[in-house]
Amino acid sequence: MAGLLAAGAVTYTGDTEAYADVQVQTDAKTGSDGKQYWVQNHLVSKDVAAAKSDDAKRKKWLLVWAGDENIADTLVKDVKNLPGSLGGGLNKVRNALPGPDFLAVIDATDGSPTYGKVVNTATVGPLVENEPHHMQYVWHKGDTIYAGALFAAATYAFDVSALPQLKLKGISLPTQTLGGSVPDAYWTLKDGTAYGTYMGGPVVPGPYRYDNGQVAVGNGFAGSPGAVIRFDQQGKVLSQTSAETPGGDNEKLCDNLPRLGAPTCANPHGIQAREDLNTLVTSDYAEPRNIILDPVKQPSPYLRRPTVRTWDISDRNNPKLKAVSYLPDGPRADPADPLHAESRAVMETTVTNLPGHKGAFAQTMQGGAVFYTPDITAAEPHWTEVFDDGSANKAIYPNNDSNGGSSNGGWIQTSPDDKYLYRAIQGRQKGALGPDDPGTTGGVYVLDIQKLVAAGTDFKGKIDTKLKAQQGGGDDLPTLVGAAPINPGTPGAGPHWGAYDHFEIGPDGFYHETDQPGRLAVSNYFVARSGLDGDHKVNMVTLGKDGKVAVDQNFRDEFTGQVGINFNRKSWPHGDFGNAKPHSELFVVADADLK
């Protein structure tokens, strides 16, 4: 991990004069504990003024949820690799001491004179060491932004109606979600509320009784079983539901530390819903304390989960678990190394969107594969492997091999028109599959899924041979139509997360939503304590209507001039707090500019 940290923590000084005139505006709310919690805007006056003076276009913004990099991200033995010195003066120490986490507001208006500039950092307080993680997958006009604090077990609710300025609507503290911990991702509903996955178990070990009558026995904070939480638009908790399987999950495939009487894989990470089908889909990733505690070596491969859960949400405040599906192993599965079996570590799921479609996809981080079920409303959905990351490796970067194992894929998302599937993979780290393993370059790839989705439950094909895993499965299965590398030639340094840009200017001069996104934004950071630190950059990727992708060469850092916005810098609008870790992002437009 020390090598990864050193590579990911290259700080540049930047132009401190760029932030000489900053307007500070604070919006605070009282938490359930009676204390004040706030978001503090740091608006760069000249850049905000330049953005507003550009009359050619209304503004589009990229919001990036980022954490302060500090000593808590490393093992003690790795402190020497942090930028600055613990023995130096205050300016040097501040790179290693905890600082505020923030939402960066970046001008994402193509052609704008401030394109790519950070015009505001909206810091949160008084909590530090939040480890900012995910927001929702897609933002629509009027939506609250829900942003999770992985380590602080808090959920922030932001008002973004008047960007580039933000306000705080409210905050959910750990004491309000005692039935779950370690918040991960969110899905907003048409009424403005949201579901969130809390990957970890009830805060206190032992039995916990939920308001709906459930009783789950957990092994403590960041353990198991996790929960699904519903929030109102101010971040108030409306309901908590345990993800636990009645009677327990497969004992052989689902480890818990400490062990539980009834083994469980219930650690929901990804979450998406089809309200018209009254169905929610969540994917189980891992018992999260094994990431938080920074293990030197994974204690057991079976702490990474192979399961997907479907829920009946007819009663929005009382989701009911319908089915727990175990993804199948594929042709690469090696009994000697189960951590890299295709089914292992189901990080994300994504639903189809159109009324005639009922399918969903799931992807595995360590397993490096994509799975599909044609009907999420089925009593027991059947999942089939339909693509292996190895099939995209050489299209991403010619020097890659065709082994998708441990590809470290994260984000996966269907296009609004159900034609394409977008995927971000960090790539395999050097040595992951053995001492001679060179690793692979990560990046973005796009699959054409039209034939698969149109075939319904009668689709043909599956990935059942190593050749298909390396070259694609044929029949109705997805075909690769676009790929682009991020950090070519550097193993395991690609993007973890992404978001699509579904806003375009209409003839009336206002933004409107489109079902054919024109860009993707991706961020190159996972969780530092896991050893997947990345280079802390955010890149823009252009997206053609045919699925072709390319890194946007115009989206450049305002200080270095290099492609991609570098979050490793000494100075921010909110001060000299040093490097930051960008985990997730969303395209957002102010209410006044969106029809």
Side-chain angles (χ1 to χ4, degrees), residues 241-257:
T241 306
S242 176
E244 183 181 51
T245 309
D249 288 319
N250 187 300
E251 184 173 7
K252 180 180 184 300
L253 298 177
C254 302
D255 267 355
N256 302 106
L257 291 177

Side-chain angles (χ1 to χ4, degrees), residues 116-140:
K117 285 194 173 185
V118 178
V119 303
N120 180 17
T121 49
T123 57
V124 295
L127 296 177
V128 294
E129 271 305 294
N130 288 275
E131 185 65 25
H133 208 56
H134 293 303
M135 301 177 283
Q136 61 259 51
Y137 298 82
V138 184
W139 180 87
H140 306 284

Side-chain angles (χ1 to χ4, degrees), residues 10 24 28 39 139 223 407 500 561 591:
V10 178
V24 179
V39 58
W139 180 87
S407 64
Y500 60 60
D591 277 4

Side-chain angles (χ1 to χ4, degrees), residues 227-545:
V228 171
I229 314 293
R230 188 179 181 211
F231 297 96
D232 74 6
Q233 296 181 53
Q234 282 68 47
K236 178 183 176 182
V237 175
L238 296 174
S239 68
Q240 301 181 65
T241 306
S242 176
E244 183 181 51
T245 309
D249 288 319
N250 187 300
E251 184 173 7
K252 180 180 184 300
L253 298 177
C254 302
D255 267 355
N256 302 106
L257 291 177
R259 294 190 67 178
L260 290 166
T264 181
C265 272
N267 300 110
H269 183 285
I271 181 169
Q272 296 200 6
R274 282 286 298 271
E275 289 187 73
D276 57 330
L277 302 177
N278 284 321
T279 301
L280 179 74
V281 185
T282 61
S283 51
D284 297 318
Y285 171 54
E287 193 169 72
R289 65 160 54 100
N290 301 289
I291 293 174
I292 292 176
L293 297 182
D294 197 1
V296 175
K297 184 178 180 181
Q298 187 76 26
S300 165
Y302 300 110
L303 290 166
R304 306 273 179 160
R305 309 309 192 192
T307 45
V308 180
R309 295 167 195 266
T310 49
W311 307 71
D312 179 351
I313 55 170
S314 300
D315 180 349
R316 297 291 192 263
N317 265 349
N318 189 22
K320 295 181 180 178
L321 185 64
K322 287 177 56 179
V324 179
S325 304
Y326 290 80
L327 299 185
D329 286 339
R332 285 193 286 101
D334 180 1
D337 193 3
L339 181 59
H340 299 121
E342 288 89 338
S343 64
R344 198 50 54 181
V346 195
M347 175 165 276
E348 282 298 313
T349 183
T350 183
V351 295
T352 52
N353 302 290
L354 301 183
H357 300 153
K358 296 182 179 181
F361 295 85
Q363 67 83 23
T364 51
M365 185 175 182
Q366 269 62 55
V370 177
F371 298 81
Y372 177 70
T373 184
D375 188 0
I376 56 175
T377 68
E380 295 184 6
H382 178 71
W383 294 82
T384 301
E385 184 183 349
V386 295
F387 196 80
D388 189 295
D389 287 342
S391 296
N393 275 357
K394 287 188 176 296
I396 291 173
Y397 187 63
N399 291 345
N400 282 346
D401 61 29
S402 297
N403 189 337
S406 199
S407 64
N408 290 314
W411 181 64
I412 191 168
Q413 183 70 46
T414 52
S415 63
D417 59 7
D418 288 348
K419 290 183 178 180
Y420 299 111
L421 189 69
Y422 310 127
R423 176 100 160 109
I425 60 174
Q426 289 178 272
R428 193 172 72 241
Q429 292 175 287
K430 186 177 180 180
L433 301 180
D436 298 325
D437 177 14
T440 56
T441 287
V444 175
Y445 71 78
V446 179
L447 300 178
D448 185 332
I449 58 173
Q450 294 176 78
K451 287 176 62 177
L452 177 64
V453 172
T457 57
D458 297 323
F459 73 89
K460 303 293 190 299
K462 64 179 179 178
I463 304 298
D464 54 3
T465 68
K466 288 186 177 180
L467 185 63
K468 290 181 181 180
Q470 295 175 355
Q471 299 181 6
D475 295 318
D476 296 326
L477 300 192
T479 55
L480 184 70
V481 292
I486 303 292
N487 290 324
T490 305
H496 166 69
W497 207 249
Y500 60 60
D501 178 3
H502 58 303
F503 300 111
E504 62 181 9
I505 287 283
D508 58 0
F510 290 86
Y511 283 102
H512 299 259
E513 288 199 31
T514 173
D515 65 357
Q516 297 182 359
R519 294 184 300 180
L520 308 174
V522 295
S523 47
N524 312 331
Y525 171 71
F526 177 52
V527 177
R529 296 186 198 180
S530 73
L532 278 173
D533 195 15
D535 69 353
H536 299 183
K537 280 188 178 181
V538 173
N539 290 96
M540 196 75 76
V541 178
T542 60
L543 179 62
K545 292 187 177 180

Side-chain angles (χ1 to χ4, degrees), residues 94-128:
R94 293 183 86 168
N95 267 341
L97 293 179
D101 302 317
F102 58 94
L103 268 171
V105 182
I106 300 173
D107 186 350
T109 316
D110 195 14
S112 167
T114 52
Y115 185 53
K117 285 194 173 185
V118 178
V119 303
N120 180 17
T121 49
T123 57
V124 295
L127 296 177
V128 294

